[in-house]
Amino acid sequence: MDWNLLRTFMVIVQEKGITAAAEKLRLKQPTISNALRRLEGHFGCRLIERRPGIFEVTLPGQRLYAECVSLFDTVSNLHALVHDQSDEVTGRVEMAFASHVVCPFLDEAVAEFHRDNPRVTFATTVLSSQEVITAVARKDVALGVCLMHERNPKLEFQPLYRESFGYFCGRQHRLFGKSGLDLKDLRAEPYVSFKTDQMADALWPIAMLRQQEEFAGPVIGTSSHLEEVKRLIIAGLGFGPLPIHVVEDDVRKGLLWRLPPYDNPPEITVYLVHDPAARHSRAEALLLERLLARIDATPLEQRTYPVAA
């Protein structure tokens, strides 16, 4: 079996198409198509259903893809296994984060790990929460930090921290600077939010509050990234939810104004996600072990933001 065929197939599935896989691998499209045909000929079955407008991985293809990911994970760690014989930890840690992750608890843990292991390098990617989970499942990254709605049974989700969301508006908004407001004052206002602000998604506590209070204003803008949601709110397109502890400095600068509810705002749990079956490098395994140990030793109340006075 030619390993290159398996790697090509893995990229085809990950990129969801022949053309995208060719661009990713910097090869010509016929080369990718030929590799897939050879692999299907070897196994004697269809691995991907591909017709105009259709790209579906068959059940045999799904099984093969899972094995390819596992094989690639093992092969990619061989060099470290052979050469990492000293007590000094080296290597690279790949991590993926949802855009709004601001967690001093995590920052302190990573800083401590770096002091103890200065030769370890880090690579981080910012994705939507669902993309973070997919990246961990595909073993593209060793660990992820994200919101969760539907639990992937093959992954472990550990509550990392909890954050409270408040409603905010920008200077251009008619409610900016006004005190003594009530939730009913927001009901007809244009709204800006995250794409996951839905009853069936990760920010359901915010969606529930919006539904309970019968907010009927038009949704002017949405994004998967906190910075873009904040940008639209500051620009005055509408009011919307943001993590309170993340935007404290923007409030102090006068860029944002806190709106009700002022008491008992919606809380969201952010998770550390990893694949317990993955073959991690020594650096990845040590960092993950340290993070999990710190989480176990620290009550969630001390990992809840804003921190209670």
Side-chain angles (χ1 to χ4, degrees):
M1 171 60 63
D2 185 347
W3 166 246
N4 287 323
L5 294 181
L6 296 176
R7 180 171 179 268
T8 300
F9 172 71
M10 185 173 70
V11 175
I12 291 172
V13 175
Q14 291 174 346
E15 298 299 317
K16 299 181 175 62
I18 302 292
T19 302
E23 293 175 356
K24 178 80 171 182
L25 295 172
R26 298 183 179 179
L27 297 172
K28 295 182 178 179
Q29 186 171 333
T31 302
I32 302 298
S33 298
N34 183 55
L36 180 56
R37 282 195 297 270
R38 287 174 59 193
L39 200 58
E40 290 180 329
H42 177 83
F43 287 107
C45 64
R46 194 81 161 170
L47 298 174
I48 297 175
E49 292 292 345
R50 48 204 184 278
R51 300 185 299 278
I54 300 294
F55 181 90
E56 295 180 355
V57 184
T58 65
L59 183 58
Q62 293 173 22
R63 292 170 178 164
L64 179 62
Y65 172 74
E67 292 302 317
C68 286
V69 171
S70 180
L71 284 169
F72 185 76
D73 184 50
T74 300
V75 171
S76 63
N77 285 325
L78 288 179
H79 188 274
L81 289 172
V82 170
H83 292 283
D84 191 8
Q85 299 176 352
S86 67
D87 291 335
E88 186 175 27
V89 180
T90 62
R92 176 185 175 99
V93 178
E94 298 271 358
M95 300 182 288
F97 295 89
S99 71
H100 71 284
V101 171
V102 176
C103 178
F105 173 83
L106 174 64
D107 296 343
E108 292 165 7
V110 173
E112 178 188 273
F113 181 84
H114 172 66
R115 287 195 297 270
D116 295 341
N117 306 283
R119 292 192 60 193
V120 173
T121 61
F122 297 83
T124 63
T125 304
V126 177
L127 303 168
S128 69
S129 287
Q130 187 55 55
E131 289 170 336
V132 170
I133 295 171
T134 298
V136 174
R138 295 193 323 200
K139 299 180 176 61
D140 294 340
V141 298
L143 58 90
V145 178
C146 61
L147 305 180
M148 179 197 67
H149 180 62
E150 292 186 4
R151 184 182 295 269
N152 184 323
K154 294 184 179 180
L155 304 179
E156 287 193 2
F157 293 81
Q158 189 75 23
L160 178 62
Y161 71 97
R162 185 181 293 150
E163 60 187 0
S164 295
F165 273 70
Y167 285 125
F168 296 86
C169 67
R171 281 180 183 165
Q172 309 301 320
H173 198 278
R174 71 178 192 87
L175 299 179
F176 187 90
K178 293 188 177 181
S179 303
L181 297 172
D182 190 84
L183 279 167
K184 66 176 180 294
D185 295 311
L186 307 179
R187 286 179 180 168
E189 295 296 322
Y191 191 66
V192 174
S193 192
F194 296 86
K195 290 182 178 179
T196 49
D197 180 359
Q198 305 290 333
M199 287 299 293
D201 219 320
L203 291 180
W204 64 266
I206 297 170
M208 179 176 290
L209 175 62
R210 182 159 53 93
Q211 186 179 81
Q212 288 174 344
E213 296 300 325
E214 300 178 346
F215 290 172
V219 178
I220 300 298
T222 62
S223 176
S224 298
H225 295 276
L226 178 141
E227 290 301 325
E228 297 311 310
V229 172
K230 186 174 74 170
R231 185 199 309 278
L232 296 178
I233 294 173
I234 290 176
L237 275 69
F239 81 98
L242 292 167
I244 296 171
H245 75 292
V246 174
V247 298
E248 287 177 339
D249 193 46
D250 296 291
V251 173
R252 282 193 295 268
K253 291 178 179 177
L255 298 174
L256 291 171
W257 181 259
R258 176 81 183 275
L259 300 170
Y262 306 112
D263 299 319
N264 302 315
E267 287 189 337
I268 303 294
T269 300
V270 180
Y271 293 85
L272 174 70
V273 55
H274 68 99
D275 183 351
R279 291 175 61 91
H280 294 120
S281 68
R282 184 181 176 197
E284 293 168 344
L286 288 174
L287 175 60
L288 185 57
E289 179 182 326
R290 182 170 300 197
L291 284 173
L292 293 175
R294 285 178 65 102
I295 289 172
D296 287 341
T298 309
L300 186 56
E301 289 74 19
Q302 296 179 25
R303 297 179 273 124
T304 297
Y305 304 102
V307 178

